[in-house]
Amino acid sequence: MAGRKKKKRSAKSGYYDFNLVAVVILLICFGLVMLYSTSAYTAQVKFGNDMNFFTKQTIISVVSLLAALFVSKFDYHVLYYVGKVSYWLSIFLMAMVKFTPWGEEVNGAKRWLKLFGIQALQFQPAEVAKIAAIIFIPCLIMKMGREITTRRGLLKLLAYGLGLAAAAFYLTENLSTAMIIAGITVIMIFIAHPNKRLFLMWGGILAVLVVLARIMLQVTLGEMTLDMDNVENFRLARVLVWLNPEKYSSEGGYQIMQALYAIGSGGFFGKGLGNSVQKLGPVPEAQNDMIFSIICEELGVFGGMVVLLLFGYMLYRLFFIAQNAPDFYGSLMVSGILIHIALQVILNICVVLNWIPTTGITLPFFSYGGTSIMFLMAEMGIALSVSREIKFAK
């Protein structure tokens, strides 16, 4: 019997998802090439160095990738014991943005925290909140067990997740992050909850309400002409620009119109790498949330499809890890990472195509931003750590 057990144990082999590592490296390299192409002119004008954005992003990306590979060597179960701490720490850091002098305003948005007034320690606490949701919500689900099937248990989970989303919205005025945290929470609960019909029913109702709201907004606001200088709520202004970018071109519609021109002028194969016209000024800050429009202008629809295929393959690898994780906690965490990346890619592209109002959300691995890439790579490290524990029979 002992010999049989030993033989069975030896028939198991460890696993490490090198395919995920490969697609992450491909996305980083592709993203850096497009970042340089998109930002070189702006960097030269602003800083006198066309590689300013590229150099910073390269250093952060390489260091973050090495850190992710290092983190992947550790047992991910340790996160189970720090989940609650990460949750409250993220809220504390976001509160510091709103209520302390360390909160930093950039381009009219106060979302950054500059610790001790040091530029190198400036980051967005909202990114911490995303990873806190990915770590902590699975902790709650595991601790609650069958209680999740009760109304009280379901409301408790939603209170924690949507409470974090509300904190991100109120403390950092970051609607896009709030939407992502809410999406991560609801979909992870959907995965864990045995009653799928309940969520599908409410999801269908929500979809219908969104469509009706879009129609009502178009009817009530689409043909109206308002004095944008007297519109105090900037989110209302964004909705007006979204509904009629031509009419409100000087209030923000110009950027989205030029982004659409960039996509249209690229055709199927594009104008060629580095040959974008819109990045020279018509699309302001193109290296941030509008970088996908420049990809389509220079590399065409084909280039855009390649980007989506790379993201699709990354999501497939994450799905594979989640499906084969050794325990439900690891599976839920990797599912949360998958949901985060999928939502962020979808929302960014919808903004670029003017399907939804501008939210300021970035394209993962492509848009310029040190905090974003650091926490994305932290998530990749967690996913790779879970993959290390997968065992397959030979």
Side-chain angles (χ1 to χ4, degrees), residues 103-114 119 122 288:
E104 191 78 5
E105 185 174 314
V106 178
N107 295 329
K110 193 174 182 182
R111 298 173 181 174
W112 281 259
L113 186 64
K114 187 187 287 187
Q119 184 69 33
Q122 181 173 307
N288 295 328

Side-chain angles (χ1 to χ4, degrees), residues 22 35 47 55 91 109 113 123 128 144 156 160 195 217 252 254-255 324 387:
L35 177 66
F47 307 105
T55 303
I91 293 177
L113 186 64
F123 67 100
V128 182
M144 292 173 66
K156 181 180 178 181
Y160 271 104
N195 188 0
L217 284 171
Y254 179 75
Q255 183 187 36
N324 294 280
S387 80

Side-chain angles (χ1 to χ4, degrees), residues 64-362:
S64 299
L65 176 61
L66 294 175
L69 295 175
F70 179 72
V71 167
S72 70
K73 301 297 181 183
F74 292 90
D75 188 350
Y76 65 89
H77 291 98
V78 70
L79 296 173
Y80 182 85
Y81 302 101
V82 299
K84 194 169 188 178
V85 174
S86 69
Y87 179 90
W88 292 110
L89 176 63
S90 68
I91 293 177
F92 174 73
L93 291 173
M94 289 189 292
M96 288 181 68
V97 172
K98 190 172 181 69
F99 299 115
T100 71
W102 290 348
E104 191 78 5
E105 185 174 314
V106 178
N107 295 329
K110 193 174 182 182
R111 298 173 181 174
W112 281 259
L113 186 64
K114 187 187 287 187
L115 293 178
F116 310 110
I118 302 173
Q119 184 69 33
L121 297 180
Q122 181 173 307
F123 67 100
Q124 289 192 59
E127 297 295 330
V128 182
K130 292 177 187 176
I131 202 166
I134 291 169
I135 293 171
F136 182 57
I137 299 301
C139 288
L140 278 178
I141 290 172
M142 296 298 294
K143 289 177 180 177
M144 292 173 66
R146 292 185 179 180
E147 188 185 350
I148 191 178
T149 60
T150 65
R151 181 181 297 180
R152 180 176 177 275
L154 185 59
L155 290 176
K156 181 180 178 181
L157 283 171
L158 288 172
Y160 271 104
L162 300 184
L164 185 60
F169 177 70
Y170 172 70
L171 297 173
T172 66
E173 297 185 356
N174 196 331
L175 178 60
S176 57
T177 295
M179 291 167 59
I180 289 173
I181 292 172
I184 291 170
T185 300
V186 172
I187 299 175
M188 280 202 290
I189 296 172
F190 168 76
I191 292 170
H193 202 279
N195 188 0
K196 309 296 185 189
R197 290 183 180 180
L198 175 66
F199 288 86
L200 293 173
M201 180 187 71
W202 282 108
I205 293 172
L206 180 62
V208 171
L209 291 175
V210 167
V211 172
L212 291 175
R214 172 67 173 84
I215 295 171
M216 289 178 64
L217 284 171
Q218 187 66 55
V219 171
T220 57
L221 298 177
E223 301 303 321
M224 292 176 63
T225 300
L226 299 178
D227 183 2
M228 294 292 278
D229 293 332
N230 296 324
V231 177
E232 297 182 0
N233 190 321
F234 75 93
R235 289 193 176 85
L236 175 59
R238 285 183 174 181
V239 170
L240 291 171
V241 169
W242 166 56
L243 292 172
N244 204 332
E246 295 90 351
K247 182 184 292 186
Y248 301 109
S249 60
S250 60
E251 289 83 11
Y254 179 75
Q255 183 187 36
I256 192 65
M257 286 170 60
Q258 294 301 321
L260 292 172
Y261 291 156
I263 296 171
S265 64
F268 190 76
F269 289 111
K271 297 177 178 178
L273 186 63
N275 292 331
S276 167
V277 175
Q278 303 301 321
K279 70 184 180 184
L280 302 180
V283 180
E285 301 291 334
Q287 70 275 6
N288 295 328
D289 49 325
M290 288 293 169
I291 195 169
F292 187 74
S293 65
I294 307 303
I295 294 172
C296 290
E297 184 183 7
E298 295 190 346
L299 304 180
V301 174
F302 177 79
M305 289 171 61
V306 169
V307 171
L308 294 180
L309 285 172
L310 285 173
F311 278 119
Y313 186 67
M314 168 181 277
L315 296 177
Y316 166 71
R317 295 315 309 172
L318 291 171
F319 177 77
F320 178 86
I321 295 170
Q323 284 289 93
N324 294 280
D327 52 45
F328 195 49
Y329 177 63
S331 179
L332 276 177
M333 276 203 305
V334 178
S335 296
I337 295 168
L338 186 158
I339 296 161
H340 169 211
I341 294 173
L343 285 176
Q344 194 154 328
V345 170
I346 291 169
L347 290 174
N348 176 268
I349 293 174
C350 285
V351 166
V352 173
L353 296 176
N354 201 36
W355 289 351
I356 62 174
T358 303
T359 60
I361 197 163
T362 57

